Amino acid sequence: MELMKLDIRKAGVTPTAELYAQAAAANKMLHTGEGAGNDFLGWVNLPSSISAEEIAAIKAQAEKLRSKAEVVICIGIGGSYLGAKAVLDALSNSFEYLRKKHENPTVIFAGQNISEDYTYEMLEALKEYSIATIVISKSGTTTEPAIAFRIIKEEIESRYGKEEAKERIVAITDKARGALKTLADNEGYPSYVIPDNVGGRFSVLTPVGLLPLAVGGVDIEALVAGAVEMEKATAAEVAIEENLAAEYAIVRNVLYGQGRKIEILGSYEPKLQYINEWWKQLYGESEGKDGKGIFPASVTLTADLHSMGQYIQEGERTLFETIISVENPAHKVVIEADKDNLDGLNFLAGKRISEVNRMAELGVQLAHVDGDVPNIRIALPAIEARTIGALLYFFEKACGISGYMLGVNPFNQPGVEAYKKNMFALLDKPGYEEESKAIKARL
Ligand code: PA5
């Protein structure tokens, strides 16, 4: 089955030979390591370098956690959270939480906020279940997951004792540095490494994403296989005109140059909502710097047509849209005829819901194009592990190409430090005494 299609006919951009040449040069730099941020290119050939042994080890570790816990708390933030959350949501039954019996442990997420109520309510709810945790932090020093882990570690140790805690806590972190590495070594937790040359937002196909996904019952072999197919399809040797990631990167850069400062990623499948969130981090952190970059926004459709639809149709003309279109639903629901037809819906009788969804999508696309919103469509044949793996790699590759075409280093994120410095100063963290005085004077 075809992996993915990219349709740029309604974007109003025709890639020229010059643009293809720029994209080819950018793609080549990702492969040769001649561009900015070249110490963070480990993701480029990552899918094809994952061995059967690595997959087997991750599945074995997942099996241990699955056998011990009804709920696995996955602790992490940003790139150490969004990939697993996005793929798990995309590939899970939307109403799993309503089922009386679960095939897989429920994976919940913590450490992606500092909300006291979230923490309290989570601990309350966990009382009824057996638990285990996967704590993920590349730096091993990020405050949000560190706080969550301190609390969950205490909960696990007080319930099961320190020895059994080693069977229920898994750490994923740097191979040598950071407080989490020290803690995991001291306590004897099994730990997995996030490679040095893979940045957080590009790490979903490392243990960061693969372990929680395997715990949640995702077919990680198929996920990786889909990514490998896309890695091959976007390799430097492939003709650039055939490279979908390059085409997407070209079109969005041309649109940006024409004043389209905002890209809205949308889908008509609500279970892809967190794919939007993962994509926003990928593109926002990679391109938003040096006073440049498309602002990545998202909508979930058709719901947001009833909230954001007005703005998209008639607001400031600084937007363009990229729609992830799913061609085949996994299930069938037909709208039946009603003899009274009081709701006037008999014109839909005999149609599948997906046909109505498709017509909504086509109608919206044409309306938005008429309203001067350029439209890119990414079509997936179905939502399944293989196509989602391909989609992840497609977005990563396009992001690398796009960032180089824009002229930024797509692999750093200097801007995320600013808030941390202020927060530590406000919290009187040792070492921040001077900043502390200065910031308190500004309050
Ligand atoms: O993409 C990134 O590098 C960031 O979003 C990080 O993933 C995020 O800040 C979490 O960092 P860490 O994994 O070091 O806790």
Side-chain angles (χ1 to χ4, degrees):
M1 201 200 287
E2 198 176 13
L3 256 191
M4 173 194 290
K5 289 192 277 245
L6 180 70
D7 184 352
I8 59 164
R9 288 171 304 168
K10 294 201 164 39
V13 174
T14 310
T16 59
E18 195 191 335
L19 288 164
Y20 275 127
Q22 283 172 23
N27 195 28
K28 194 165 161 247
M29 288 200 302
L30 294 172
H31 287 271
T32 59
E34 285 159 345
N38 55 6
D39 41 350
F40 282 101
L41 293 173
W43 59 272
V44 175
N45 298 312
L46 175 72
S48 60
S49 68
I50 301 171
S51 66
E53 290 72 37
E54 281 172 88
I55 297 273
I58 287 173
K59 282 167 77 173
Q61 180 64 68
E63 221 27 73
K64 275 193 196 158
L65 296 176
R66 287 167 62 90
S67 69
K68 290 201 169 273
E70 292 162 297
V71 178
V72 175
I73 308 119
C74 187
I75 300 175
I77 195 165
S80 294
Y81 151 65
L82 284 164
K85 169 74 176 156
V87 177
L88 198 60
D89 277 14
L91 297 176
S92 301
N93 185 304
S94 305
F95 296 94
E96 187 61 32
Y97 65 93
L98 287 183
R99 290 187 165 169
K100 294 252 158 59
K101 283 206 172 125
H102 304 280
E103 255 178 60
N104 302 298
T106 302
V107 177
I108 64 164
F109 293 87
Q112 80 284 36
N113 60 57
I114 331 175
S115 163
E116 191 158 345
D117 286 346
Y118 185 96
T119 311
Y120 181 91
E121 288 165 17
M122 174 180 69
L123 290 169
E124 275 286 295
L126 287 177
K127 283 196 178 119
E128 296 179 36
Y129 300 98
S130 55
I131 60 171
T133 191
I134 304 169
V135 54
I136 309 172
S137 177
K138 187 173 185 211
S139 61
T141 56
T142 307
T143 311
E144 292 92 333
I147 293 172
F149 183 54
R150 183 179 276 213
I151 291 166
I152 293 295
K153 177 176 181 285
E154 165 62 27
E155 177 71 17
I156 290 179
E157 286 177 352
S158 65
R159 277 199 211 184
Y160 305 106
K162 263 181 118 46
E163 262 322 292
E164 175 63 14
K166 292 179 198 166
E167 305 291 318
R168 291 175 184 264
I169 297 176
V170 178
I172 304 178
T173 187
D174 185 82
K175 66 174 184 316
R177 285 175 296 125
L180 180 57
K181 174 68 186 159
T182 314
L183 207 153
D185 286 351
N186 282 359
E187 301 282 10
Y189 303 144
S191 49
Y192 292 81
V193 171
I194 308 173
D196 279 348
N197 59 359
V198 179
R201 58 190 173 275
F202 289 87
S203 69
V204 55
L205 297 170
T206 71
V208 169
L210 297 181
L211 181 60
L213 291 171
V215 169
V218 168
D219 179 350
I220 57 169
E221 269 148 321
L223 186 81
V224 170
V228 171
E229 285 183 68
M230 190 53 77
E231 180 190 323
K232 290 191 177 137
T234 60
E237 314 67 74
V238 173
I240 201 72
E241 299 79 6
E242 308 289 316
N243 182 330
L244 298 187
E247 194 163 69
Y248 174 55
I250 289 171
V251 174
R252 58 197 302 285
N253 269 285
V254 171
L255 290 170
Y256 179 62
Q258 295 171 349
R260 304 291 170 164
K261 307 271 186 209
I262 299 165
E263 177 175 7
I264 304 176
L265 185 71
S267 166
Y268 288 75
E269 292 298 337
K271 56 169 63 175
L272 297 185
Q273 193 175 345
Y274 265 83
I275 293 283
N276 296 346
E277 300 304 321
W278 171 84
W279 171 89
K280 285 197 296 209
Q281 187 209 356
L282 182 65
Y283 281 78
E285 278 192 352
S286 299
E287 294 194 318
K289 55 195 67 158
D290 307 337
K292 298 197 245 189
I294 294 170
F295 183 84
S298 67
V299 287
T300 296
L301 304 164
T302 59
D304 288 339
L305 293 174
H306 300 260
S307 61
M308 296 303 290
Q310 171 60 35
Y311 190 103
I312 297 171
Q313 191 67 46
E314 296 183 340
E316 258 207 85
R317 299 300 72 188
T318 47
L319 318 165
F320 69 98
E321 238 174 3
T322 298
I323 297 298
I324 302 175
S325 176
V326 179
E327 289 175 340
N328 299 295
H331 309 286
K332 187 171 178 182
V333 181
V334 175
I335 302 165
E336 302 294 351
D338 182 278
K339 76 174 171 21
D340 299 323
N341 193 28
L342 293 178
D343 54 12
L345 276 186
N346 270 356
F347 72 102
L348 297 177
K351 289 196 193 304
R352 290 177 65 172
I353 300 251
S354 56
E355 290 176 71
V356 182
N357 206 21
R358 167 82 51 225
M359 292 311 129
E361 183 182 325
L362 294 178
V364 169
Q365 186 196 47
L366 294 176
H368 287 179
V369 170
D370 289 345
D372 190 19
V373 180
N375 197 287
I376 299 170
R377 183 195 285 155
I378 295 165
L380 298 184
I383 300 177
E384 49 194 33
R386 174 177 167 257
T387 56
I388 294 295
L391 182 70
L392 297 174
Y393 189 85
F394 163 82
F395 277 137
E396 289 180 356
K397 195 59 175 304
C399 184
I401 297 173
S402 186
Y404 279 162
M405 289 182 77
L406 183 66
V408 298
N409 173 357
F411 307 114
N412 64 5
Q413 54 284 330
V416 301
E417 294 308 313
Y419 95 90
K420 292 183 191 168
K421 207 175 87 197
N422 287 352
M423 183 176 80
F424 292 148
L426 288 166
L427 287 166
D428 297 313
K429 184 172 174 173
Y432 286 79
E433 292 74 14
E434 283 309 307
E435 288 89 344
S436 211
K437 264 190 245 150
I439 201 165
K440 285 181 183 164
R442 287 176 58 198
L443 291 177

